[in-house]
Amino acid sequence: MILAVLAPLLLAIAVIVLAPLLLSHGSWRIARPRLALRAWLAAIILGAIALVASLASALVEILSSASRQTGEWLGPVAITIFGWVGLAAVGGLVALALARYEPISAAERRTALQVLLLSASSTYRRESLRGVDVSFIESDAAAAVSTRGCGRQIIVSRRLDDALKPAQLRAVLEHETAHLRKGHDRIVRLAQLNLACFPVLLGARSFEQNVHLLVELAADDNAARRCGIEATADALQALTALTSEESEESVALRALRLLRRAERVAGRAATRRAAVARRASA
Amino acid sequence: MAGRRVPGALESMVLQRLWAAQGPLTSRAVRESFSEDQRPALTTVLTVLDRLEKKGLVTRTASAAGSLFSAARGESEETASAMGRILGRAQDREAALLHFAGQLDPADVEALRKALTSP
């Protein structure tokens, strides 16, 4: 019975220790951001399930040992202490999560209200893209934002609308739609809440640090799949001339990442064509 | 009948109409202000007005003709502040928004640069 408590507990500890080491290093996560996001989510779910399973096993053992008389005392006492301390920790954790979620939830409500006011006061065109409402608003800022406040919404400023070619604008909309359809905002919130509850855990800090980059790259990849790598890289390059100085470098690097991928895809296609030509001439 | 719209879009369109009106409107008048191809059902309009009232954006007054609705706050005073808060948040990770320009901090940029420059 001790094994039923210890095995999932050790698994949870292994996940907590190994996840940040494996998932927050290496260029693979830049090349495969969607896989990296899924791996983080899987690690969090696996860690949580293992902890709950360990605690549940301990509680079952406490209840069943009450009706059993054995000479052994160390194991049952350790399990009893672990079970009751674990149960108290879960209760404390739930209370902490609720308390930490309240300001996040209030910020979401405030933002939703502001988006609604902005959309109502300054929209000059509306479109719908696969169930997502797109409001084009009068503004000199070059911005496109997505939010789920009052339903899935994208806001695009006049300056961005005017500056981008239709194919580039489509890529921007697909990028923002990916955030909404793939639940990127919720993943970001989960990372923030996880960090708020476990500020001392390296895994919680690493996930929160990584998640912003990963969701942006995953949305870029989604836009590239729907509109083409070149159109998406073009949109990012066009944005470098319009965006603030602090965002310029990150946007340029995201464009460069897609251009490198386009080169690799073109290289592979040329190799395949050459192989087909060789076989045809043989 | 209008095509299916997300709730936020309809709330925004109703608020636009209340701002544009000279005075308070009945729910039926709000509905009539939509073009025929976009006109929502009266029950939908009432639901939207109710939601806007709960958010403090619409006030309701009783009259002989039924409930009259008007925008609680002026359009211009809301626009400037909302514009700055929403569109100027590229680096604000607390906002429930995701910007196309991204919300990447120097560590993210460094990780990206390192991955792209490594062989």
Side-chain angles (χ1 to χ4, degrees), chain A residues 111 114 119-122 126 131 133 138-139 144-146 150 176 189 192 209 212 247 249 253-254 260, chain B residues 5-6 8-9 12 16 55 75 79 83 85 87 89 91 93-96 98-101 108 113 115-116:
Chain A
T111 300
Q114 288 161 5
S119 161
S121 61
S122 311
R126 282 184 197 280
D133 184 71
E138 296 289 357
S139 169
V145 301
S146 58
C150 310
E176 293 304 321
R189 285 286 165 263
Q192 289 172 338
Q209 277 163 8
H212 299 275
S247 296
E249 189 182 6
L253 286 169
R254 280 161 57 196
R260 291 260 174 89
Chain B
R5 281 205 167 274
V6 296
S12 150
Q16 259 175 346
K55 289 176 183 173
E75 177 181 358
T79 310
M83 189 86 77
R85 284 188 299 242
L87 300 184
R89 276 178 155 175
Q91 301 301 321
R93 289 183 166 187
E94 294 308 309
L98 289 167
H99 280 250
F100 181 62
D108 294 329
R113 192 190 301 115
L116 292 171

Side-chain angles (χ1 to χ4, degrees), chain A residues 86-97:
Chain A
L87 211 54
V90 167
L93 199 60
V94 169
L96 181 67

Side-chain angles (χ1 to χ4, degrees), chain A residues 163-259:
Chain A
L164 300 184
K165 295 173 189 158
Q168 294 170 339
L169 184 62
R170 177 81 204 283
V172 171
L173 295 181
E174 288 295 352
H175 173 104
E176 293 304 321
T177 306
H179 281 322
L180 295 168
R181 294 181 73 89
K182 308 286 180 190
H184 289 167
D185 52 337
R186 287 176 176 154
I187 297 174
V188 169
R189 285 286 165 263
L190 173 69
Q192 289 172 338
L193 193 59
N194 190 38
L195 178 63
C197 293
F198 306 103
V200 293
L201 285 186
L202 177 64
R205 289 203 301 273
S206 296
F207 183 38
E208 205 279 334
Q209 277 163 8
N210 276 266
V211 73
H212 299 275
L213 176 61
L214 295 179
V215 297
E216 290 307 328
L217 299 184
D220 284 346
D221 288 354
N222 198 77
R225 268 193 300 278
R226 290 211 159 252
C227 313
I229 299 176
E230 284 85 359
T232 309
D234 263 4
L236 286 163
Q237 279 180 318
L239 190 69
T240 56
L242 303 168
T243 193
S244 64
E245 216 171 282
E246 53 196 357
S247 296
E248 192 181 334
E249 189 182 6
S250 66
V251 175
L253 286 169
R254 280 161 57 196
L256 178 63
R257 171 178 165 272
L258 291 178
L259 289 172

Side-chain angles (χ1 to χ4, degrees), chain A residues 127-134 152-154 177 180-181, chain B residues 6:
Chain A
E127 285 177 15
S128 185
L129 182 66
R130 297 200 307 284
V132 176
D133 184 71
V134 186
R152 298 191 287 197
Q153 260 187 304
I154 296 173
T177 306
L180 295 168
R181 294 181 73 89
Chain B
V6 296

